[in-house]
Amino acid sequence: MAPLPIFTRVQPIYSVLLPTLFSIILILLRDWNSLASFRRNIQNYRSASSLIVQIISSGLGGLQTLTATSLLEAATRVYLLERSAEIEDVHLWTTLLAPCIDTSFRKWRLVAVVVFFLIAQIPAALWAGALTPVFMTATLTTGSIQVPAYTTATEDIWNNEFQVRGPKVFNVQTSCTKINSAGGYMASCPVPDMQAPRDHSKNDNPDWIYRGRSYGVGSSQGLSSISSLPSGSRLEAYNYTEIGYIATVDCYHNSSSEYYFNPDNNATDVTVWHVDGYLPNSAPENPEKYPVLSWSTGPGSVGILNWSAVVNDNRNMIAIAAGDHCSVAFALSNFTVTVNTIAQSILVNPQFAASHLLTDIEPSGRLIANAMYSVRLLSFMSTSLYVSVLGETLFRNIETLRARHSNDTPTADSPSVANAAVAESFAAILDDVLVAYGAAQLVLANASSTVPVTGVYQAVRIGQNTYIYATLAVNILLLLAVVVEMVRTWLWLRLPDFEYSNITSVIIAASAGGIGLADEVTRREEMGRAPGKTIEGEGTAVRIRVRAKRGKRVAIVVAKEGDGSRRGRRREGGEELEMSLLEHEE
């Protein structure tokens, strides 16, 4: 018989090399991801992409299974050169090469067929995991955003307190313009409890929410867009660094305070109170004095409250006309502003960098002074004949903090709780005032500087590393097995001519037996036995076995059971009959 073509003989080599090449490519691409067109196509055509993955994974898994079954076939064919095998064993091998489930087997052979069938499905499953697109996020430092800049040319905007324009006041503290009729106070006024993370709307754009303190930065969101984003990308979140101020407020009660209410006895229809006096850092020639209207007949008969703020003598002070004083310190700091574009939230975290390493956004100190005076002006604008909006909000914040310490009665009732709540309130107001100044610089003054942005983008990659490495491991094992079999079978030249899995080879071998093979099968059928089963007759048990011989397609041997023919050699006393009619010389 002519030797097999080289392409047929080396089939295990190329059937393992192609999947190995794919595994190597996937490993090289394990850090690759797509932000644009490929990601959009996968999102828009998920069913089609799943179908493509299934087809490719089935093909690559099938090549790996083909390699394994080719090695199994070569090993069993070499086995038949050295010893004979029962027909049922040859049937088992043929089924494993398919691979499929044949329920005609019994006992361990059926178990072996089922287990091998299940194992043969593993390569395709691994490839599906290695090729399925995985949605992820990718972090890139690209693009930029505009943050407020306080320049000399724009002093007319930032070097002012809240501006009065016609009948309206340019006051971005819009959350203090309505009264909660049920509770009699401003629930949305910017004086929340800041000892726990709080959510509050951005004053100039309520669609954006601050998570925790704003620290006066992050005003760009909703007002300035990011430039130079990757084309076709979708941004989920981003962060950038912005320089600003940490406002720290420390409040205490001063029983000798010189800042107090004075009644105006000349008023007729309403009660007019003058807030008079000095703050600890007031200049002697500049006392505080302004009117407050109320229906009340005395400061204690209805909730009225006012405060004032003074920047002088290198100190920032706030005094409430109830005997409370607060000192305010502003520390220059770097902030990381993290923006979630999906949830439309802003999270600000101070970095506490050394201030001497930072460039002050407004080194003259006038921005800080104007923020303090804006807090003072806020008190002037928030008067009411019926209720003190600011007083009620401060009171509610005190009650919130007391409720948190309700299990600790001495702490809850101590003045320190009230002082801490007032300090938190002023810190929150100062934060929002600084955000308002930043928004004005971006929108009204058009004054900004550019800072880089680190973005988190929607992305997609090919497969998961676990499955990619698993497919490579399977390929390496198969490649080693192929090399071993190449050496052992002399590049598969040592294989016999008979191919039990090839129907053409089987038909030729069977026809070579002629009438002798037919008679033998008929005799067994008449005895109610299938070929390959034990035949009981005349005290002798016989089996039909298969053994390959060089130069011949096949030899079917009928031998007594226990004669050692399973091992392919004759034993002393054993009886073996070769049916020469079933041997076919080439």
Side-chain angles (χ1 to χ4, degrees):
M1 181 180 179
L4 293 173
I6 184 65
F7 184 79
T8 303
R9 282 192 287 123
V10 300
Q11 172 261 311
I13 297 178
Y14 61 77
S15 64
V16 74
L17 286 182
L18 184 59
T20 303
L21 179 61
F22 265 80
S23 292
I24 294 174
I25 293 175
L26 289 176
I27 288 177
L28 295 176
L29 294 177
R30 66 186 182 277
D31 295 326
W32 173 86
N33 57 68
S34 171
L35 306 179
S37 58
F38 183 72
R39 174 191 58 80
R40 291 199 307 273
N41 290 333
I42 294 298
Q43 286 180 327
N44 296 334
Y45 307 103
R46 297 197 182 193
S47 298
S49 63
S50 298
L51 179 62
I52 294 172
V53 168
Q54 187 64 38
I55 293 173
I56 297 176
S57 60
S58 296
L60 294 174
L63 287 175
Q64 289 180 318
T65 303
L66 177 62
T67 302
T69 55
S70 298
L71 296 176
L72 175 62
E73 182 189 23
T76 51
R77 286 172 66 185
V78 172
Y79 176 89
L80 290 177
L81 278 175
E82 301 171 352
R83 62 201 67 172
S84 62
E86 294 183 11
I87 287 182
E88 275 209 349
D89 290 335
V90 178
H91 183 196
L92 173 63
W93 298 341
T94 305
T95 305
L96 296 180
L97 297 181
C100 61
I101 296 179
D102 189 340
T103 56
S104 65
F105 289 110
R106 295 295 181 267
K107 298 180 181 178
W108 70 268
R109 288 188 176 90
L110 179 60
V111 174
V113 167
V114 172
V115 171
F116 191 84
F117 175 80
L118 295 177
I119 293 175
Q121 313 310 309
I122 294 177
L126 293 178
W127 277 109
L131 292 172
T132 299
V134 178
F135 290 98
M136 54 175 290
T137 57
T139 302
L140 297 176
T141 301
T142 181
S144 59
I145 193 170
Q146 304 297 316
V147 297
Y150 300 91
T151 63
T152 304
T154 59
E155 280 191 56
D156 60 322
I157 300 295
W158 63 263
N159 194 16
N160 283 286
E161 302 166 11
F162 291 107
Q163 299 178 52
V164 179
R165 296 183 177 179
K168 296 183 180 179
V169 177
F170 180 69
N171 173 11
V172 295
Q173 305 292 335
T174 54
S175 54
C176 280
T177 59
K178 296 179 182 178
I179 295 178
N180 186 321
S181 58
Y185 70 97
M186 290 305 307
S188 62
C189 203
V191 284
D193 172 17
M194 299 194 311
Q195 291 194 0
R198 65 185 180 103
D199 294 348
H200 62 292
S201 298
K202 191 168 182 281
N203 293 316
D204 55 83
N205 191 333
D207 291 335
W208 287 92
I209 302 294
Y210 276 106
R211 307 290 188 192
R213 285 188 64 175
S214 68
Y215 293 101
V217 298
S219 57
S220 302
Q221 276 53 63
L223 301 176
S224 177
S225 59
I226 301 177
S227 60
S228 304
L229 290 178
S231 177
S233 62
R234 183 172 181 181
L235 188 64
E236 283 192 351
Y238 61 92
N239 66 75
Y240 60 92
T241 299
E242 184 176 353
I243 300 176
Y245 301 107
I246 299 177
T248 304
V249 183
D250 181 28
C251 295
Y252 56 92
H253 184 73
N254 186 353
S255 58
S256 60
S257 174
E258 297 181 6
Y259 183 70
Y260 48 85
F261 284 104
N262 243 341
D264 186 343
N265 297 322
N266 296 322
T268 55
D269 295 333
V270 296
T271 302
V272 179
W273 300 88
H274 283 125
V275 183
D276 296 327
Y278 294 88
L279 276 67
N281 63 333
S282 295
E285 66 276 10
N286 292 319
E288 300 297 311
K289 186 177 182 67
Y290 61 91
V292 177
L293 300 180
S294 174
W295 289 120
S296 66
T297 58
S301 61
V302 69
I304 61 172
L305 178 141
N306 281 88
W307 63 64
S308 188
V310 173
V311 178
N312 186 41
D313 196 24
N314 293 322
R315 289 188 295 170
N316 308 307
M317 297 295 299
I318 300 174
I320 301 175
D324 288 339
H325 290 178
C326 300
S327 63
V328 184
F330 293 87
L332 189 66
S333 178
N334 245 356
F335 297 91
T336 299
V337 181
T338 302
V339 181
N340 187 320
T341 60
I342 297 176
Q344 289 193 297
S345 63
I346 309 167
L347 178 65
V348 180
N349 290 311
Q351 298 180 0
F352 298 106
S355 59
H356 67 277
L357 300 177
L358 304 176
T359 301
D360 200 330
I361 55 176
E362 202 293 290
S364 71
R366 285 176 291 174
L367 176 62
I368 291 176
N370 288 328
M372 291 291 297
Y373 288 132
S374 294
V375 173
R376 176 177 181 267
L377 183 59
L378 182 62
S379 178
F380 296 170
M381 296 188 302
S382 301
T383 58
S384 170
L385 292 175
Y386 299 94
V387 65
S388 171
V389 173
L390 298 179
E392 287 296 316
T393 50
L394 288 178
F395 175 75
R396 296 297 174 180
N397 203 26
I398 293 172
E399 290 299 306
T400 300
L401 199 56
R402 281 178 174 168
R404 181 182 304 155
H405 296 285
S406 59
N407 295 329
D408 186 0
T409 304
T411 301
D413 295 334
S414 68
S416 62
V417 172
N419 292 330
V422 172
E424 291 173 2
S425 300
F426 283 125
I429 295 174
L430 285 166
D431 286 348
D432 285 350
V433 166
L434 289 172
V435 170
Y437 276 110
Q441 286 303 103
L442 291 171
V443 177
L444 301 179
N446 196 25
S448 62
S449 59
T450 302
V451 295
V453 166
T454 299
V456 178
Y457 299 87
Q458 288 187 358
V460 67
R461 57 163 293 176
I462 301 297
Q464 296 185 19
N465 288 339
T466 301
Y467 299 109
I468 293 174
Y469 286 113
T471 59
L472 181 63
V474 173
N475 284 324
I476 292 175
L477 291 177
L478 290 175
L479 195 57
L480 292 175
V482 167
V483 172
V484 171
E485 283 299 299
M486 285 174 57
V487 174
R488 192 172 74 93
T489 61
W490 308 340
L491 198 58
W492 294 285
L493 291 174
R494 189 168 170 263
L495 298 181
D497 297 330
F498 176 61
E499 298 179 68
Y500 62 83
S501 62
N502 188 321
I503 188 63
T504 302
S505 181
V506 172
I507 291 175
I508 293 175
S511 64
I515 192 64
L517 178 60
D519 289 345
E520 181 65 21
V521 173
T522 301
R523 184 175 70 83
R524 292 179 176 279
E525 288 179 346
E526 290 175 351
M527 298 178 64
R529 302 284 184 176
K533 301 295 184 181
T534 301
I535 304 175
E536 303 290 344
E538 301 179 358
T540 304
V542 296
R543 287 179 179 271
I544 291 183
R545 304 177 65 81
V546 176
R547 181 175 179 181
K549 291 189 176 182
R550 293 193 184 280
K552 302 176 181 180
R553 286 294 179 89
V554 70
I556 296 182
V557 179
V558 181
K560 285 185 180 180
E561 190 171 287
D563 65 357
S565 58
R566 293 188 184 188
R567 295 186 300 276
R569 61 175 183 270
R570 192 186 308 274
R571 275 189 178 179
E572 188 68 26
E575 181 179 347
E576 185 178 272
L577 173 63
E578 276 199 5
M579 300 180 66
S580 59
L581 288 176
L582 301 184
E583 297 179 356
H584 176 63
E585 298 284 352
E586 290 296 330

